[in-house]
Amino acid sequence: MKKLLALLIIITGTLGFAFAQEISDEEEYDDFDDIFLEAAEDIVVEESKPVVPASSSNTASSILGLTGHFDGNVGLSAVIVDKPDFGGYLDLSNTLYLNVKPSADFGLHGALATSLSNGFSLGVSYFYFDYMLLNRVFISAGKKGVSWGYTRLFGNCNIMSDTNGYLNAEIRYPWSTGTATLVASYNYALLSTSPSYADITYALSLEQTIGHTSVNLFAKKYGQREMNGEVHKHPVAGFEAKRTFFNGYDAYVQTFTSLANYKQLNKTEGYERVTATTGFYKLWDAFDPNLGINIEYQYIWVPGAVQTDGTVHNHEIFLQGGIKRIGKNKNMKGAVEWKHNFNSLTGYVTAGYIIDGLFPYASWKNGIQVDYSKGNKPKFTLGTSISISLDY
C-alpha cells in the first residue's frame, strides 16, 4: 500500500506541476501554469465568463453542456532506503461536467467525479449556480471551492481552503480598479444538529490596483462550531501584493495572522500564528524550448509553540523549475522541484520527464524523488508509467 501511494505521489502528484493535462472550462491557467501548476483535487471556481444569451432559435443542446475528462495511469515503482522494494499501481479517474446556461445572466454547474486506485470513490466535486445581477453584481452559491491568494507553491497560503466544499455563497462587486468579495460558508455536517446563523463563517476580500501593483486585504471570521467537534477557530486577517517588474518578472508578497486576542495585539498573547511568504516567477516563452522558474520563501512564527530546533520560528524554501517543447516534435518536457526546511534540515527533491504523443491520448511519465532528513539515510522513490488523458 505504501509503495502504491509513493508512486502515485511521484507520477501523478508531485510531478503534476510540470505536466498539466488539458483542462475543463471551469479552470483557466496561463502558459506558466501549464508548466508548474499541480493538478488540483478540488475544482476552483473562478469568475464566470459572459456568453451569448440564449435565443428562441436555440436548441436544448445550446443551453445544456455535458463534457468529461478521463485519466488513466499504470506504472511501476521502486522505493530504496537500504535495498530496493518494487511495486506498481493502477489509477483511474473520470469527471463528468454539467453546465446549464439558459442566458448570459444565469448558469448552473456541476461535476461528478469517480476514481479507482486503492479503492473506489464516487462523489460530487461541485454543484452551484451563478447569477449576474443587473449586469454588475456577481452572485454564486452551492457546493463549490473558492481560492484567494497570489502565492503559488506553499499550500497553506489560501485562507479559503478549509471551507472549500462547504455550502458557499459568494457575492462579488467590481469597479474600475478593484473588486470586493464576500463569502459566507456553512458546514453541511451541522445541518443535522440544530442549524444556527452563529455557525456561518464569513470571509471578506478587498482587492485594488494601485499604479501597477495589485493589493488585496482579506479577513475571515469563523462560525461557533467546526466539523468533527473541532474547537472554534480564531479570526484570520492578512495582506498581499503583486507586481510585474522588468520584462515579465512577477513578484508577490503575502502575510496573514490568526488572532488569538484582538485586544492584545501589542503582546505575544494576541497572536496564534503569523505566516509571511514572498516569491517570484518568470516564464521565457518567446523561444523554444520554453523555460520557467518559480521560487517562494516562507517564514512562520507560532508564539508559545516550539519547533524542532527549540525556537518558535520556521523557515522554508520552495522551488520549481520547468522546461517544455523539447525535441524535434516539441513533445517532451521536464521539471524539478525542491522543498527544504531550514529548521529541521528536512526536505525533498523531485525530478520528472514526460514524452507526449507516443500513442494516441497517451504519455510516458518518469520521475524520481529523494526525501532527506538530518541524521537519516535518504529515501529514493522511482516511478515510470503510461498515462492516458482524454477530454470528451
Side-chain angles (χ1 to χ4, degrees), residues 151 210 327:
T151 61
I210 303 175

Side-chain angles (χ1 to χ4, degrees), residues 31-47:
D31 288 341
F32 188 86
D33 296 325
D34 288 342
I35 296 182
F36 292 101
L37 257 181
E38 187 168 332
E41 294 181 358
D42 295 321
I43 299 297
V44 174
V45 179
E46 303 290 348
E47 183 173 353

Side-chain angles (χ1 to χ4, degrees), residues 85-132:
D85 186 10
F86 296 98
Y89 86 107
L90 172 67
D91 176 64
L92 305 175
S93 64
N94 187 77
T95 303
L96 291 174
Y97 302 99
L98 171 68
N99 292 282
V100 180
K101 197 72 175 178
S103 72
D105 299 321
F106 179 81
L108 182 65
H109 314 279
L112 180 66
T114 59
S115 66
L116 177 63
S117 183
N118 292 329
F120 177 79
S121 66
L122 173 65
V124 177
S125 298
Y126 60 81
F127 183 68
Y128 69 96
F129 76 87
D130 54 44
Y131 183 75
M132 188 65 68

Side-chain angles (χ1 to χ4, degrees), residues 225-347:
R225 294 183 296 173
E226 296 299 327
M227 185 167 48
N228 299 326
E230 294 180 9
V231 297
H232 173 62
K233 294 182 180 179
H234 292 127
V236 176
F239 160 87
E240 61 184 353
K242 179 175 67 175
R243 180 167 181 167
T244 300
F245 294 92
F246 307 116
N247 185 23
Y249 289 85
D250 285 357
Y252 49 86
V253 61
Q254 180 198 73
T255 181
F256 65 93
T257 180
S258 178
L259 303 174
N261 189 337
Y262 68 91
K263 295 181 180 180
Q264 298 184 359
L265 298 183
N266 60 332
K267 301 179 181 179
T268 300
E269 291 76 13
Y271 302 90
E272 180 184 39
R273 182 186 183 94
V274 177
T275 302
T277 307
T278 185
F280 82 93
Y281 62 90
K282 167 65 176 176
L283 172 67
W284 293 269
D285 59 352
F287 52 85
D288 286 337
N290 297 171
L291 302 172
I293 189 171
N294 195 175
I295 302 176
E296 287 185 3
Y297 162 77
Q298 185 173 90
Y299 165 74
I300 298 178
W301 175 49
V302 186
V306 178
Q307 305 297 326
T308 55
D309 66 344
T311 71
V312 297
H313 310 282
N314 190 71
H315 303 266
E316 285 191 274
I317 191 172
F318 205 149
L319 178 149
Q320 289 182 353
I323 182 171
K324 66 178 182 178
R325 297 182 59 81
I326 310 172
K328 179 180 178 180
N329 297 323
K330 312 296 183 184
N331 65 330
M332 293 180 285
K333 46 194 171 184
V336 62
E337 178 176 291
W338 175 49
K339 188 176 183 181
H340 178 75
N341 186 299
F342 291 97
N343 294 63
S344 61
L345 298 180
T346 61

Side-chain angles (χ1 to χ4, degrees), residues 9-35:
I9 293 174
I10 290 293
I11 297 297
T12 64
T14 310
L15 298 181
F17 72 86
F19 318 119
Q21 305 294 333
E22 294 298 321
I23 56 179
S24 71
D25 292 336
E26 290 300 317
E27 301 172 286
E28 288 198 354
Y29 305 130
D30 58 25
D31 288 341
F32 188 86
D33 296 325
D34 288 342
I35 296 182

